[in-house]
Amino acid sequence: MKILAIETSCDETAVALVEVKGGLNSPANSGPKFKILKSLVASQIKIHRPFGGVVPNLAKREHLKNLPILFGKLQLTIHNLQPNLVAVTVGPGLEPCLWTGINFAKEIKNQFASWRKKTKIIGVSHLEGHLYSFLLNPKSKIKFPAVALIVSGGHTILILMKDLTHLKKLGETRDDAVGECFDKVARLLNLSYPGGPEIEKIAKKGDEEAINFPRPMLNQKNYDLSFSGLKTSVLYYLRDSKIQTDQVADIAASFQKAAFDVLIKKTLRAVKEFKAKSIIVAGGVAANKTLAKMFKKAIKKDNLRLNLIIPETKFCTDNAAMIAASAYLNFLQNKKYKLVANSGLNFK
Ligand code: KG4
Ligand code: ZN
């Protein structure tokens, strides 16, 4: 089957064309196998950078402009590559941006009579897109049960996966998402937007033990997380001490270490409790190579036999191929989301 996917939930306009076969088993066992024919992303970073964050109306305007251009680049016609499904993100995200994608999906379905008849539109959760992005790599070796950590600009969630489709939310952040915290701390340090990659880069030059920032909720016996206190303690540190420019790297490294210590400790606690055989880390913050290194080190230290699965960097940050992957699982399960923007959509 061929899936055309559209993603416009935040500040990346993305479309993808994906071919897929297989069922709901794990990929090693006749499960879904994806072939990405095209995956295009038009980044809006330069537009939002002067504002230090995403401006919803500007994002919507850019999606409206970019969608027809990206769609044109797919060079679909009535004759070639008619998709069986048009997959579109319905939430969570910025409502005006979500509507832009949903309306565009409806428009392209209506462009040819044969598409009107045979192509179905299928709504997708952006979070499930991140969760299933690992399926895009045919080499991912998933064994269940698995614990998945979704770390993005809007969410920080721990999920237990009994198999590909049985999901249970174990916990999530009670305040800021970890990506949001990186972006806010980067702003305090006068680094540019988006802050995650900037902090990762400058932290490489710093000493992660230089400042002992708090690790919120580290020892609480639940799977919830919190990052706003960590951000505030960076703010107080900057206010109370006279910072030299060469200390920025130490602050970035110490902040990053504190945030990742919490993510890793909570994830490994879930792994032990539920006897998980794999860890999936997904979402924009999963693009951080220091996080991967720290996870590997902690897994080794605890002598755990685990597959650590992190999607390729281009599939950690927002993209439409992951929306196609998630749409296929929805299709196989007959799982339906209304074609209505749902900014607060989350795992149950
Ligand atoms: O998944 P994503 O592209 O969009 C959302 O769904 O939010 O995640 C974006 C977030 C931003 O907060 C960005 O700063 C963060 O992911 N991010 C990173 C890195 N690359 C992106 N955070 C830490 N290190 C990175 N290398
Ligand atoms: Zn995302």
Side-chain angles (χ1 to χ4, degrees):
M1 124 164 347
K2 290 193 180 68
I3 305 178
L4 166 64
I6 299 166
E7 156 61 41
T8 60
S9 65
C10 190
D11 60 345
E12 313 282 16
T13 318
V15 302
L17 191 64
V18 168
E19 223 168 38
V20 56
K21 58 184 183 191
L24 284 172
N25 291 332
S26 70
N29 192 10
S30 72
K33 290 204 169 46
F34 295 91
K35 186 173 163 198
I36 299 167
L37 304 177
K38 280 224 165 96
S39 176
L40 307 174
V41 180
S43 171
Q44 302 181 6
I45 284 176
K46 279 193 189 140
I47 300 204
H48 300 289
R49 186 167 278 156
F51 303 94
V54 181
V55 184
N57 279 334
L58 285 183
K60 177 190 162 173
R61 191 191 72 188
E62 289 301 301
H63 289 313
L64 280 170
K65 191 182 89 193
N66 292 334
L67 277 171
I69 297 172
L70 294 186
F71 181 64
K73 287 189 182 165
L74 295 180
Q75 293 183 318
L76 295 177
T77 67
I78 188 166
H79 302 297
N80 77 354
L81 298 170
Q82 170 170 0
N84 305 78
L85 300 178
V86 174
V88 61
T89 306
V90 296
L94 302 166
E95 203 142 311
C97 297
L98 293 164
W99 275 120
T100 311
I102 295 168
N103 290 334
F104 189 75
K106 290 181 182 166
E107 273 168 39
I108 55 173
K109 179 189 154 131
N110 277 325
Q111 66 175 345
F112 303 122
S114 67
W115 289 40
R116 279 198 290 277
K117 239 185 273 163
K118 291 192 197 139
T119 300
K120 282 199 177 72
I121 303 182
I122 188 158
V124 175
S125 151
H126 182 82
L127 293 175
E128 289 172 5
H130 277 305
L131 177 67
Y132 292 121
S133 55
F134 76 93
L135 290 170
L136 299 169
N137 180 354
K139 290 188 199 136
S140 297
K141 290 203 171 57
I142 180 97
K143 285 188 189 159
F144 295 107
V147 169
L149 173 68
I150 300 177
V151 275
S152 71
H155 296 83
T156 308
I157 307 179
L158 265 170
I159 289 171
L160 177 64
M161 296 178 85
K162 210 175 110 201
D163 53 36
L164 265 189
T165 57
H166 289 89
L167 314 176
K168 185 177 170 218
K169 182 158 81 179
L170 298 174
E172 68 186 316
T173 182
R174 292 190 181 169
D175 40 59
D176 290 355
V178 65
E180 181 183 359
C181 186
F182 267 75
D183 294 338
K184 286 176 175 167
V185 167
R187 227 183 328 175
L188 295 175
L189 297 175
N190 285 323
L191 302 171
S192 69
Y193 172 85
E198 296 295 313
I199 291 202
E200 177 181 17
K201 207 178 348 160
I202 196 160
K204 290 204 170 87
K205 299 182 207 142
D207 172 7
E208 61 183 26
E209 308 291 344
I211 305 140
N212 187 19
F213 287 124
R215 271 90 171 136
M217 300 181 76
L218 184 72
N219 294 314
Q220 287 190 22
K221 302 239 169 296
N222 57 37
Y223 294 108
D224 281 349
L225 302 131
S226 160
F227 291 97
S228 78
L230 173 57
K231 169 198 66 195
T232 309
S233 56
V234 176
L235 175 75
Y236 290 163
Y237 185 84
L238 291 169
R239 190 192 62 188
D240 298 340
S241 41
K242 286 204 172 55
I243 303 298
Q244 311 292 322
T245 21
D246 61 355
Q247 273 180 288
V248 171
D250 284 348
I251 299 168
S254 304
F255 155 74
Q256 178 174 263
K257 172 85 164 48
F260 289 171
D261 273 351
V262 182
L263 292 177
I264 292 170
K265 180 151 184 194
K266 290 261 165 161
T267 306
L268 293 189
R269 243 196 71 216
V271 161
K272 288 170 201 162
E273 178 172 348
F274 299 104
K275 301 191 174 33
K277 294 179 182 153
S278 317
I279 295 176
I280 298 165
V281 190
V285 183
N288 187 303
K289 301 287 179 243
T290 307
L291 177 61
K293 258 189 234 156
M294 286 176 64
F295 253 117
K296 281 183 200 149
K297 201 169 149 194
I299 289 168
K300 199 165 164 198
K301 184 167 165 254
D302 283 4
N303 249 330
L304 296 164
R305 285 173 62 86
L306 274 174
N307 293 349
L308 176 66
I309 300 171
I310 303 179
E312 278 177 75
T313 301
K314 64 180 177 201
F315 297 131
C316 286
T317 47
D318 288 350
N319 66 90
M322 71 181 194
I323 301 305
S326 187
Y328 186 60
L329 296 199
N330 288 355
F331 170 79
L332 292 178
Q333 297 171 85
N334 202 19
K335 178 170 168 179
K336 291 194 173 121
Y337 287 107
K338 273 193 197 151
L339 289 178
V340 171
N342 184 350
S343 59
L345 188 62
N346 199 328
F347 291 96
K348 286 204 187 81

